[in-house]
Amino acid sequence: MSNYLPNPLFAKAQANKDHTHQEIIQARDRIDERYHDFLIMLPQSVKLSDRSFEITPEQQMLGIYSYERGTYVSIEKPYVTVDGRICMARDEHREAGKQLSILPAKYEVINDVTIVSVTIESEIHGSVTGTIEVGSNGAVDRYNPIANAQTSAIGRALGFMGYGVVGTGIIASPDEIQNPYSVDASSVQQPQQNDNNSGKNRPITYRVQIKEPVGFNPDYSSYVKIQLETNQIATLIMPKEINNFAKDIVPGDVIKVKGWYKENSDRLSATKDVPFKEQRQQAM
């Protein structure tokens, strides 16, 4: 008995792709052309079924992939970045001769949880406060949790004022909905030349298997759960320079990637060199 993707699920995937395509067109129509550079696409995965199926090349081209946890289709959601929203707000107020003030962030600890609130006062839209939990859902960059939470709170407040809202339901920072691993710039930079007595900064090639769908950050860097040849599970962090490669890998792929592995955090930070993909669906 064949295990190919049923036609209704293929049609569902196509409908999801068509819908997000229309969202992108509407987003470009809704915001002034001056701010189109701040409009980015957030890759997301939509679950089609709890079952796994054999995926044809045509279906792969559509962005459909399948593994033991189910079958998904990759889509992109338009999102206006926080810096773009700030530009929109400041430009509107300057052109109208009105005041706009972003007040200093306030911090409050409730039940051992740190809450960041930022209030924005506008002579056009009134006063609005954006609030977010620091490190909510493990989503905020572990290296700059306070700064990232403050940025998210500003983005949320500006979204409540209507800036950067393009009809996709994403008002706050994408950190809150994607649970991304932010890339530590110091860990993904190309290795520097060392003297002959030291090779500590040299990257090592690792052979790993992709275990889950790839997640993407707003800056186009990405992250994914992997299994090393030692059978240890870790997180692979990929810089934005290899974003196209990251979009093409799915659970089950086996790749060879150069990078630096930190045992204390189980993180493998890839270099900017494009990894080599051996084959699909190979067991480690």
Side-chain angles (χ1 to χ4, degrees), residues 189-224:
Q189 63 187 3
Q190 296 290 350
Q192 298 177 351
Q193 294 292 330
N194 302 313
D195 58 44
N196 294 331
N197 296 325
S198 175
K200 292 183 178 180
N201 288 333
R202 296 180 184 274
I204 297 174
T205 298
Y206 294 86
R207 182 172 178 267
V208 305
Q209 185 179 53
I210 306 301
K211 302 303 293 182
E212 294 183 356
V214 178
F216 294 87
N217 297 318
D219 64 354
Y220 301 108
S221 61
S222 55
Y223 58 94
V224 66

Side-chain angles (χ1 to χ4, degrees), residues 3 39 48 198 203 205 271 282:
N3 190 38
L39 184 65
L48 301 174
S198 175
T205 298
T271 69
Q282 176 177 335

Side-chain angles (χ1 to χ4, degrees), residues 39-215:
L39 184 65
I40 64 174
M41 302 300 123
L42 298 179
Q44 295 183 3
S45 295
V46 175
K47 194 168 192 176
L48 301 174
S49 172
D50 291 328
R51 293 181 53 192
S52 60
F53 298 94
E54 294 182 37
I55 304 302
T56 67
E58 177 190 5
Q59 293 164 352
Q60 290 178 3
M61 290 292 293
L62 188 65
I64 300 174
Y65 61 92
S66 187
Y67 70 119
E68 64 268 17
R69 293 189 180 181
T71 302
Y72 300 78
V73 60
S74 298
I75 63 171
E76 292 184 324
K77 288 280 190 179
Y79 170 80
V80 178
T81 59
V82 175
D83 55 342
R85 299 180 187 203
I86 293 174
C87 286
M88 289 178 177
R90 294 202 181 281
D91 287 350
E92 181 183 38
H93 284 74
R94 182 180 64 253
E95 292 165 4
K98 301 294 184 180
Q99 290 293 319
L100 176 73
S101 299
I102 301 177
L103 303 184
K106 295 182 179 180
Y107 303 91
E108 182 179 7
V109 178
I110 302 176
N111 296 328
D112 296 325
V113 175
T114 302
I115 305 296
V116 179
S117 299
V118 175
T119 297
I120 299 179
E121 295 180 348
S122 162
E123 289 187 347
I124 298 176
H125 302 289
S127 178
V128 174
T129 298
T131 302
I132 190 172
E133 175 184 328
V134 175
S136 56
N137 300 316
V140 179
D141 180 5
R142 69 171 65 183
Y143 298 102
N144 299 287
I146 300 298
N148 284 348
Q150 181 176 336
T151 300
S152 295
I154 293 172
R156 179 183 285 274
L158 290 171
F160 290 153
M161 286 185 173
Y163 297 110
V165 178
V166 292
T168 58
I170 304 175
I171 294 180
S173 165
D175 285 343
E176 298 175 57
I177 61 171
Q178 296 216 127
N179 192 27
Y181 289 83
S182 296
V183 177
D184 178 8
S186 65
S187 68
V188 298
Q189 63 187 3
Q190 296 290 350
Q192 298 177 351
Q193 294 292 330
N194 302 313
D195 58 44
N196 294 331
N197 296 325
S198 175
K200 292 183 178 180
N201 288 333
R202 296 180 184 274
I204 297 174
T205 298
Y206 294 86
R207 182 172 178 267
V208 305
Q209 185 179 53
I210 306 301
K211 302 303 293 182
E212 294 183 356
V214 178

Side-chain angles (χ1 to χ4, degrees), residues 13-25:
Q14 184 66 65
N16 273 282
K17 300 289 282 192
D18 292 343
H19 177 70
T20 54
H21 178 69
Q22 289 301 316
E23 286 184 330
I24 294 171
I25 294 175

